[in-house]
Amino acid sequence: SALRDVFARLKSDEESARNSRKDDLRLLVELCGLAKSMVVSNREKFHNSLLELGLLDLCTNVMRDEKTEIQLLGAEMISAALVQDQASVFNFVQSQEVEDSLISGLVLKLNADTDAGVILEVLEILRTLLDPESISSDSDRSKFLNLFYEKFMEKVLTALKDIENSKENSKMLRSSLCDLLSSCVVWHGYRSKWFVLRLDVVNKVLNLLKTDSSYVAVSAIRFFRACVGMEDDYYNRYIVKNKLLAPIAKIFKKNENKDNLLNSAVLELLDFMSKESLRVVLVDLMEHYAEYFDSIRDTPLFEKAKKAYEDSLKTGPTTTENTNGKGPRDYSDGTQFGSTAAKNSAPDLDEDEAYFESDDGDDIQDQQVGPNPPPSYGVGSESENATVPFTPRHEREGSSDEVEKHSTSLDVSTEGDDDSHVHSSSGPQPLVDYPNEDEDTDDELSKGEKGERSSLGISL
């Protein structure tokens, strides 16, 4: 058929086939576009025929081509395949060798001086692949995310290192990459948390604030906002320990007289921390970086932040944050705003950092706890968290002598029977003396048996 001839030419190394390579790829892209208007059943048949002919293998090779136009056509075909059948793309990626895989070719484009159009296409493909809603099967999603974070995520991060590159393509890449990382923080839970804390990603992203590009700086602050927005105590303590609020406070001070998107992003971050009472981060901000916000000190927003800070000091260890490790700093002892004692009581994250340096990253989710952290994290007194030992009931209710003494004083009467007043002089008695249906049985009991039952508090 015509399609077989097209794929045969694209896979050929002959000179004539190379000359027609661009036209053949354009034909496939046009056919993929026209297939969108087909009936679902026909569209599926057409797409399956392309997969059988080796569409994804072809895309893998095309993305490694040196020509920008060829790369763009390959990216468009990958996007079309993802729209039609995402599961087939995921299965294909997992069946490939890591170094020669389709994902590896896409990631390489992020670390090369690539055309802006190719960068945008590649980032959109990666966003679609990493979106948890794009994979219906939990097992397939877990396998793919494990593969991506283990083999490719660090390579994606290397694209942020060249901050001195002032080319517009490089700026756009860094900005878009920050947005992709922000989505990963929200989407992937413990995987992204382990990745961010282990590789110090927040610090690397905030280095972008040193660039002269305002929209890149705004993207970096958006990533920081995504981490804080998780309201996770691991993120918050990591931010405080590494003093990651400092570059944000400094850039706000630098732009305090400008009404721009950068300042708006910082103010929104401050408003969020105040509204959600993120105690660990808010206390660090007000105690160490309040002077950077002198320009808004008399505004309602700063007053709101200050009030949230003061309220957090009054409430002691109580917090609305999702405490996954040690509890927040305890200021219930009267530590005052900006005092030396408060600054010296900054939380120590050595245990948290050591945990995330281990290889058991998947166990992070198992460490999630509720609003009341375990006693090993230092929240609450020892008596509050201690386990109450089991005590037998007769020991809790007192000794047998006390029971006997208490029972002697009982005077229980039953309604309608004048002779039922019981004045016990010795031995424990029941609270209610129910009439025995078989009185003869009681008469036949020996005195020894009666005494034994009396000592056990049983009355017949």
Side-chain angles (χ1 to χ4, degrees):
S1 65
L3 281 177
R4 292 185 184 277
D5 294 338
V6 171
F7 275 90
R9 288 196 299 270
L10 288 171
K11 295 177 182 178
S12 176
D13 292 332
E14 296 180 2
E15 188 67 25
S16 58
R18 291 183 180 180
N19 294 333
S20 62
R21 187 180 182 87
K22 185 188 301 183
D23 294 333
D24 290 336
L25 289 174
R26 284 178 176 173
L27 174 62
L28 289 179
V29 171
E30 289 294 331
L31 290 176
C32 290
L34 292 174
K36 295 179 181 179
S37 60
M38 292 182 181
V39 180
V40 176
S41 58
N42 293 336
R43 184 167 66 244
E44 291 179 353
K45 291 179 180 179
F46 174 75
H47 180 72
N48 290 334
S49 65
L50 292 179
L51 292 178
E52 292 174 359
L53 292 171
L55 175 65
L56 296 179
D57 284 317
L58 176 63
C59 292
T60 302
N61 296 328
V62 165
M63 291 306 301
R64 297 178 183 274
D65 197 285
E66 296 179 356
K67 296 181 180 180
T68 301
E69 293 182 359
I70 300 296
Q71 295 173 9
L72 280 171
L73 292 172
E76 289 183 31
M77 287 192 294
I78 297 172
S79 299
L82 283 171
V83 170
Q84 178 58 36
D85 187 4
Q86 296 170 346
S88 62
V89 179
F90 289 118
N91 294 332
F92 174 78
V93 169
Q94 295 180 52
S95 66
Q96 290 182 300
E97 294 293 333
V98 173
E99 296 300 326
D100 300 325
S101 66
L102 175 62
I103 301 297
S104 179
L106 294 172
V107 173
L108 285 175
K109 298 305 173 186
L110 301 179
N111 293 283
D113 191 7
T114 312
D115 180 76
V118 176
I119 291 175
L120 291 177
E121 287 286 348
V122 169
L123 288 172
E124 188 60 32
I125 292 172
L126 291 178
R127 179 181 291 275
T128 303
L129 289 171
L130 294 172
D131 188 349
E133 297 297 329
S134 64
I135 316 176
S136 58
S137 173
D138 291 338
S139 60
D140 291 343
R141 181 190 306 118
S142 180
K143 290 178 182 178
F144 177 76
L145 292 178
N146 287 339
L147 173 66
F148 191 87
Y149 273 91
E150 181 180 354
K151 302 296 183 181
F152 302 110
M153 202 58 167
E154 289 190 38
K155 296 179 181 179
V156 172
L157 191 62
T158 56
L160 295 176
K161 291 183 177 180
D162 189 15
I163 64 174
E164 296 180 357
N165 191 339
S166 59
K167 292 183 179 180
E168 193 63 29
N169 288 359
S170 181
K171 294 179 181 179
M172 184 201 64
L173 169 62
R174 292 194 291 266
S175 176
S176 300
L177 200 54
C178 287
D179 292 337
L180 178 63
L181 292 173
S182 300
S183 299
C184 290
V185 167
V186 176
W187 286 341
H188 301 153
Y190 73 92
R191 285 187 182 88
S192 59
K193 178 167 66 174
W194 175 81
F195 168 74
V196 168
L197 302 187
R198 183 174 65 90
L199 298 179
D200 196 19
V201 177
V202 178
N203 192 21
K204 294 175 181 177
V205 170
L206 290 182
N207 282 334
L208 298 177
L209 297 178
K210 301 175 183 178
T211 64
D212 57 352
S213 175
S214 59
Y215 70 88
V216 173
V218 170
S219 298
I221 294 176
R222 280 202 300 264
F223 172 76
F224 184 88
R225 167 67 171 79
C227 295
V228 173
M230 297 303 292
E231 301 184 40
D232 189 303
D233 207 39
Y234 274 124
Y235 278 125
N236 295 343
R237 291 179 178 279
Y238 159 74
I239 289 169
V240 171
K241 179 181 179 180
N242 292 278
K243 302 178 180 179
L244 298 179
L245 283 170
I248 294 180
K250 290 177 181 177
I251 197 171
F252 181 81
K253 180 71 173 179
K254 181 179 178 181
N255 294 272
E256 61 183 358
N257 295 324
K258 300 178 182 179
D259 186 13
N260 54 20
L261 191 59
L262 181 61
N263 274 12
S264 297
V266 177
L267 293 176
E268 193 278 333
L269 175 65
L270 179 61
D271 181 64
F272 174 79
M273 291 190 296
S274 305
K275 185 184 300 182
E276 300 299 326
S277 298
L278 302 183
R279 188 172 185 272
V280 174
V281 182
L282 191 60
V283 167
D284 183 59
L285 175 71
M286 299 302 291
E287 291 183 356
H288 300 95
Y289 308 107
E291 64 272 13
Y292 291 95
F293 296 88
D294 287 337
S295 61
I296 62 167
R297 186 171 291 274
D298 297 329
T299 62
L301 176 59
F302 189 84
E303 291 296 328
K304 180 181 178 181
K306 185 177 179 181
K307 184 178 184 302
Y309 162 77
E310 293 172 348
D311 291 342
S312 68
L313 300 186
K314 296 177 183 178
T315 56
T318 304
T319 177
T320 59
E321 296 174 66
N322 177 21
T323 307
N324 297 326
K326 296 180 180 179
R329 294 166 65 184
D330 186 1
Y331 290 94
S332 57
D333 58 353
T335 306
Q336 297 299 320
F337 172 83
S339 64
T340 304
K343 294 179 181 180
N344 292 337
S345 62
D348 189 346
L349 289 189
D350 290 340
E351 295 181 7
D352 297 344
E353 191 173 62
Y355 176 81
F356 282 100
E357 287 293 338
S358 67
D359 293 331
D360 300 331
D362 289 341
D363 292 336
I364 295 177
Q365 192 177 35
D366 296 335
Q367 300 295 329
Q368 304 283 351
V369 297
N372 297 320
S376 61
Y377 291 138
V379 179
S381 64
E382 182 177 354
S383 62
E384 292 174 344
N385 295 294
T387 303
V388 180
F390 172 75
T391 305
R393 182 176 178 181
H394 70 275
E395 293 182 14
R396 296 197 306 269
E397 294 178 349
S399 64
S400 59
D401 295 339
E402 293 174 346
V403 174
E404 182 179 24
K405 181 179 179 181
H406 175 70
S407 302
T408 304
S409 63
L410 293 176
D411 183 4
V412 183
S413 62
T414 56
E415 184 177 357
D417 190 357
D418 296 338
D419 297 332
S420 62
H421 294 281
V422 180
H423 300 278
S424 178
S425 59
S426 64
Q429 298 294 331
L431 295 178
V432 180
D433 187 11
Y434 292 100
N436 193 349
E437 295 180 358
D438 192 359
E439 296 179 357
D440 295 336
T441 302
D442 184 63
D443 295 334
E444 294 175 359
L445 291 173
S446 64
K447 293 182 180 180
E449 291 175 335
K450 288 183 178 180
E452 182 181 356
R453 292 175 180 174
S454 176
S455 64
L456 295 174
I458 303 174
S459 178
L460 298 177

